[in-house]
Amino acid sequence: MSEQTQTQGTQGLSQPRRVVVVGAGMAGVQSAVALREQGFTGTVTLFGAEPHQPYDRPPLSKAVLLGKAEGSAFDVDFEALGIELLLGREVLGVRAGEHELDTPEGPVPYDALVLATGAEPIRLPGTEGVPGVHLLRTLDDTERLRPVLARQHDIVVVGAGWIGAEFATAAREAGCAVTVVEAADRPLAGALPAEVAAPMAAWYADSGASLRTHARVARVEPGAVVLDDGSRLPAGAVVVGIGARPATAWLAGSGIALGDHREVVADDHLRTSAADVYAVGDCASFPSGRYGRRLLVHHWDNALQGPRTVAANIIGETPAVYDPVPYFWSEQFGRFVQYVGHHQSADTTLWRGDPSGPAWTVCWLREGRLVALLAVGRPRDLAQGRRLVEAGTLMDAEALTDPSRPLKAATA
Ligand SMILES: Cc1cc2nc3c(=O)[nH]c(=O)nc-3n(C[C@H](O)[C@H](O)[C@H](O)COP(=O)(O)OP(=O)(O)OC[C@H]3O[C@@H](n4cnc5c(N)ncnc54)[C@H](O)[C@@H]3O)c2cc1C
């Protein structure tokens, strides 16, 4: 046994000496930084498959796409923090029983391992390698799309989810003709109930984009997208935003348990089924004590918060539990959309403000308590609502529907 693997007790008594983090996105970088912030003095090695200095993804569909920002590299001094950053280095596999990773340069031992390989976009079947068909996940994707916007093509966006809406927003701002095709009957069908998504459909038309619902792509031809009803949409470029799935193919055969969505199944301490292996961010699901179900969250705040729990559990002797109130935001069609909490179809939906106007909020109550909130252009509602959701506060339903009253004053 090597000297480095003698102290395997990250879930036991002693601290590990060598922590390896795989994936240099938000969750991986934050895990490495959190280890140092929490006083870890051993070796921290961070592997990233992409060649670029680690960067933040949300600006890729916003300021970076429009050329308003050059890049979105994290402001982290890895050298000063004593984090060994290995870029352009894709990890090939894990031999969990031996506490070793496989890399193209050979095996790498670890005492504790953090899986933070994020997610990869789902491709439109039949379009792999077709010129003019783009995804939007990486800095390279955004750099390929910037000249597409500058040429002001006819653009077809496949999928009216968060990414599709944000890309359509940027493309309209750049002066492109934009058609968004969506197989469901409304935008954000997988994320929001019909009555909440309904006003959002109008945002597309207001911005000059055409939204075609109940529309399935049959095939992509040079210069056109053909729908299954036979209609042909001119397309100088096609941008596919139909979701993302955890980037875990490299874990095949590792013995680390994966779930129904191919995500790493973590416990409430963000530990995986393998000893001394943790998982965090877009690649992992965790059981939410708060909501009584397993959550797979593909949002930035989860990749920021989870790493603190991972670092605490690698270093500490008292296990820290991860049980966040999920939060995310989107910037689309000139609106700032924010969501906090987690609602279910049985919850009571209450509106604050007119959904045809520029600013409104939807609240969800369960047994009188605020469990989730969607705020459009009302960041104060979000800030106050977040605290009320976290505390499980009983609300006065009538006061809550008056948008002129602060949300925090609408408690029962
Ligand atoms: C365009 C875009 C806009 C977004 N906007 C918002 C927003 O407005 N609000 C919001 O809440 N969320 C937003 N998100 C979601 C948010 O960015 C993600 O939830 C977050 O980036 C997840 O971080 P992560 O570190 O878990 O995964 P990732 O950011 O995917 O990072 C994982 C990294 O691991 C690397 N990797 C994968 N496999 C390996 C391997 N085998 N070896 C080494 N490295 C590997 C990948 O190359 C990648 O760099 C957006 C996402 C995108 C793509």
Side-chain angles (χ1 to χ4, degrees), residues 38-58:
Q38 294 179 30
F40 180 67
T41 54
T43 306
V44 179
T45 303
L46 177 57
F47 279 91
E50 295 182 63
H52 308 290
Q53 200 60 23
Y55 61 88
D56 208 10
R57 275 178 218 284

Side-chain angles (χ1 to χ4, degrees), residues 22-28 47-50 57-58 60-62 89-91 116-119 136-137 163 166 250 280-282 298-300 303 328-330:
V22 184
M26 182 72 181
F47 279 91
E50 295 182 63
R57 275 178 218 284
L60 300 185
S61 52
K62 308 174 183 76
R89 301 273 290 273
E90 184 172 355
V91 175
T117 48
L136 177 45
R137 179 78 197 180
I163 296 287
E166 293 200 354
W250 68 287
V280 66
D282 281 12
H298 277 187
H299 296 299
W300 185 90
F328 67 86
W329 81 97
S330 171

Side-chain angles (χ1 to χ4, degrees), residues 330-347:
S330 171
E331 293 161 49
Q332 48 179 280
F333 307 111
R335 287 156 174 98
F336 189 37
V337 180
Q338 297 168 284
Y339 179 96
V340 69
H342 182 76
H343 73 271
Q344 291 166 7
S345 53
D347 297 330

Side-chain angles (χ1 to χ4, degrees), residues 60-348:
L60 300 185
S61 52
K62 308 174 183 76
V64 177
L65 183 60
L66 282 165
K68 293 178 182 170
E70 260 318 299
S72 56
F74 293 121
D75 185 15
V76 174
D77 188 339
F78 293 96
E79 208 180 317
L81 287 169
I83 296 167
E84 184 188 18
L85 180 60
L86 300 175
L87 296 174
R89 301 273 290 273
E90 184 172 355
V91 175
L92 305 175
V94 186
R95 276 173 289 111
E98 291 146 68
H99 279 62
E100 254 180 11
L101 293 174
D102 286 320
T103 78
E105 292 75 27
V108 173
Y110 63 82
D111 299 325
L113 173 64
V114 182
L115 310 177
T117 48
E120 47 204 13
I122 297 172
R123 289 166 191 273
L124 194 61
T127 62
E128 288 87 349
V130 174
V133 178
H134 299 263
L135 299 165
L136 177 45
R137 179 78 197 180
T138 65
L139 185 56
D140 289 344
D141 292 336
T142 296
E143 281 174 359
R144 277 188 287 268
L145 280 164
R146 270 159 65 160
V148 170
L149 292 193
R151 284 201 294 273
Q152 300 189 325
H153 280 299
D154 284 316
I155 297 183
V156 172
V157 179
V158 183
W162 302 111
I163 296 287
E166 293 200 354
F167 179 80
T169 301
R172 283 301 302 138
E173 198 173 324
C176 304
V178 178
T179 304
V180 181
V181 297
E182 167 58 53
D185 61 348
R186 59 182 190 273
L188 293 165
L192 295 175
E195 62 173 322
V196 178
M200 298 178 170
W203 300 353
Y204 287 75
D206 292 350
S207 81
S210 163
L211 171 65
R212 294 187 59 154
T213 53
H214 300 290
R216 285 186 178 274
V217 175
R219 59 187 184 278
V220 178
E221 295 178 349
V225 169
V226 182
L227 302 182
D228 63 358
D229 65 1
S231 48
R232 291 172 68 85
L233 306 173
V238 179
V239 176
V240 177
I242 55 173
R245 62 168 67 100
T248 55
W250 68 287
L251 294 171
S254 66
I256 295 171
L258 302 183
D260 294 344
H261 303 278
R262 302 192 209 166
E263 85 285 10
V264 182
V265 175
D267 69 9
D268 58 352
H269 304 111
L270 299 180
R271 296 183 301 216
T272 72
S273 61
D276 305 319
V277 182
Y278 298 77
V280 66
D282 281 12
C283 73
S285 68
F286 55 91
S288 165
R290 194 182 282 275
Y291 301 112
R293 52 181 298 193
R294 182 162 282 278
L295 299 182
L296 172 59
V297 178
H298 277 187
H299 296 299
W300 185 90
D301 193 58
N302 178 55
L304 171 71
Q305 308 290 349
R308 294 179 195 146
T309 304
V310 168
N313 285 330
I314 289 174
I315 300 171
E317 285 172 19
T318 314
V321 169
Y322 189 56
D323 197 9
V325 172
Y327 164 75
F328 67 86
W329 81 97
S330 171
E331 293 161 49
Q332 48 179 280
F333 307 111
R335 287 156 174 98
F336 189 37
V337 180
Q338 297 168 284
Y339 179 96
V340 69
H342 182 76
H343 73 271
Q344 291 166 7
S345 53
D347 297 330
T348 305

